[in-house]
Amino acid sequence: DTAVSQTPKYLVTQMGNDKSIKCEQNLGHDTMYWYKQDSKKFLKIMFSYNNKELIINETVPNRFSPKSPDKAHLNLHINSLELGDSAVYFCASSPPNIGTPTSYGYTFGSGTRLTVV
Amino acid sequence: QKEVEQNSGPLSVPEGAIASLNCTYSDRGSQSFFWYRQYSGKSPELIMFIYSNGDKEDGRFTAQLNKASQYVSLLIRDSQPSDSATYLCAVQDTGRRALTFGSGTRLQVQP
């Protein structure tokens, strides 16, 4: 019954490898996001998709490539992993009315802790 | 560069006291403001959101917004040890759905 589910929860990999993180939401939301949280707890947006269309693409190395096959899924593929990519990656989703009086903001997934060694 | 600023803390209060968490933001056009609580090793969870100037109360939590001063605060009354967490302020960016987060304030409630 998980609302926003991410897999895997933990990912330990060597530098130079390619890895993917998957995210799925069953809330009927139309927008999904990827955020990166560094060791100082700072959450920084990376990408956002609205109904499968990329609407936000922040300054992120092009080794990171999101893919949204449908509005309930948003995956993140990372090529040539580097030590600095180690962080917790959160997927989130939001309904169409975010920012309105009836909005409830984002719902976050449980996060993927990526460790690059 | 839009910014959301929070004091990183830790803010330490005794059990039963009022905890006051503050946040300032740089984008004067921001419309909606959110407070999230994040326990160590967990994902952020929404506590409150506010979009009008003034106060909004929900149980032990009160969010306060002053758009003229670009200031948002969260008051937690009758603080409990279970309130010990990092509190993240988030502001909805003008013209888009994305939220910009502050770096969070760590709250410690001492039994």
Side-chain angles (χ1 to χ4, degrees), chain A residues 68-80:
Chain A
S68 182
D70 56 59
K71 72 175 188 177
H73 295 84
L74 179 61
N75 304 323
L76 182 65
H77 188 76
I78 316 170
N79 288 326
S80 304

Side-chain angles (χ1 to χ4, degrees), chain A residues 30-31 33 35 37 40-45 50 56 58 90 94-96 98-106 108-110 113, chain B residues 1 4 31-32 34 36 38-46 49 51 56 86 88 92-93 96-104:
Chain A
D30 66 341
T31 305
Y33 311 81
Y35 276 79
Q37 188 170 45
K40 294 184 178 179
K41 295 285 196 182
F42 185 57
L43 266 169
K44 185 171 171 54
I45 190 164
N50 175 258
I56 293 174
E58 295 293 289
F90 283 103
S94 68
I98 187 170
T100 70
T102 57
S103 170
Y104 290 94
Y106 289 179
F108 281 90
S110 57
R113 181 173 294 277
Chain B
Q1 176 87 17
V4 179
Q31 297 291 319
S32 303
F34 301 81
Y36 283 82
Q38 187 175 24
Y39 293 111
S40 181
K42 301 293 186 183
S43 59
E45 55 177 328
L46 182 67
F49 69 94
Y51 63 96
K56 179 181 178 183
T86 296
L88 302 167
Q92 185 178 1
D93 299 346
R96 66 177 195 174
R97 294 186 180 186
L99 299 184
T100 297
F101 285 82
S103 56

Side-chain angles (χ1 to χ4, degrees), chain B residues 1-2 4 8 10 14 21 39 42 47 50 53 55 59-60 69-71 73 76 93 97 107 109:
Chain B
Q1 176 87 17
K2 296 168 187 172
V4 179
S8 61
L21 304 159
Y39 293 111
K42 301 293 186 183
I47 300 175
I50 187 168
N53 275 329
D55 295 359
R60 296 186 297 112
S69 300
Q70 294 175 244
Y71 177 90
S73 64
I76 306 175
D93 299 346
R97 294 186 180 186
L107 173 66
V109 181

Side-chain angles (χ1 to χ4, degrees), chain B:
Chain B
Q1 176 87 17
K2 296 168 187 172
E3 291 183 350
V4 179
E5 301 280 348
Q6 293 182 257
N7 187 322
S8 61
L11 172 66
S12 186
V13 300
E15 185 175 354
I18 295 175
S20 177
L21 304 159
N22 305 315
C23 171
T24 59
Y25 59 95
S26 64
D27 183 1
R28 188 169 285 279
S30 298
Q31 297 291 319
S32 303
F33 307 86
F34 301 81
W35 282 100
Y36 283 82
R37 177 176 63 198
Q38 187 175 24
Y39 293 111
S40 181
K42 301 293 186 183
S43 59
E45 55 177 328
L46 182 67
I47 300 175
M48 298 276 295
F49 69 94
I50 187 168
Y51 63 96
S52 296
N53 275 329
D55 295 359
K56 179 181 178 183
E57 188 174 318
D58 184 0
R60 296 186 297 112
F61 299 98
T62 299
Q64 299 175 316
L65 174 60
N66 183 326
K67 288 186 179 179
S69 300
Q70 294 175 244
Y71 177 90
V72 190
S73 64
L74 179 70
L75 301 178
I76 306 175
R77 288 181 299 281
D78 188 23
S79 296
Q80 302 296 309
S82 59
D83 294 326
S84 298
T86 296
Y87 288 80
L88 302 167
C89 173
V91 175
Q92 185 178 1
D93 299 346
T94 305
R96 66 177 195 174
R97 294 186 180 186
L99 299 184
T100 297
F101 285 82
S103 56
T105 298
R106 190 156 63 94
L107 173 66
Q108 293 177 339
V109 181
Q110 308 293 339

